[in-house]
Amino acid sequence: MKRYEYVTFSFPPQPPFPIVINHTELQQVLCEWGEQGWEVASATTTSHRWGKTREVLVVIKRELVGRE
């Protein structure tokens, strides 16, 4: 049976208003994790007043190999 480890992290938006996510920066972070064998299992945004994005929550996973 395959086993996995998981990490969650949040990626905050950047000012100025309206609040936006820096997609280039987020992509760099995901590429760095990907080079270490991680893959995105899930991602979602959270919001605060008036529907503006507060952060992107990302769950990443990688298979545990050779660990019991």
Side-chain angles (χ1 to χ4, degrees):
M1 172 176 26
K2 290 184 178 183
R3 297 178 54 181
Y4 298 91
E5 62 181 322
Y6 295 86
V7 171
T8 60
F9 67 91
S10 63
F11 191 83
Q14 307 294 314
F17 292 98
I19 297 174
V20 296
I21 297 297
N22 184 328
H23 294 109
T24 303
E25 215 174 296
L26 178 56
Q27 182 177 354
Q28 286 177 312
V29 169
L30 293 175
C31 285
E32 288 172 12
W33 282 97
E35 288 176 8
Q36 297 174 34
W38 296 92
E39 66 177 301
V40 174
S42 177
T44 190
T45 60
T46 63
S47 60
H48 55 85
R49 290 185 254 168
W50 306 291
K52 293 185 177 172
T53 299
R54 179 175 22 190
E55 63 191 350
V56 176
L57 296 174
V58 181
V59 178
I60 56 178
K61 71 175 187 176
R62 70 176 169 189
E63 188 175 352
L64 292 170
V65 179
R67 296 185 204 173
E68 293 294 323

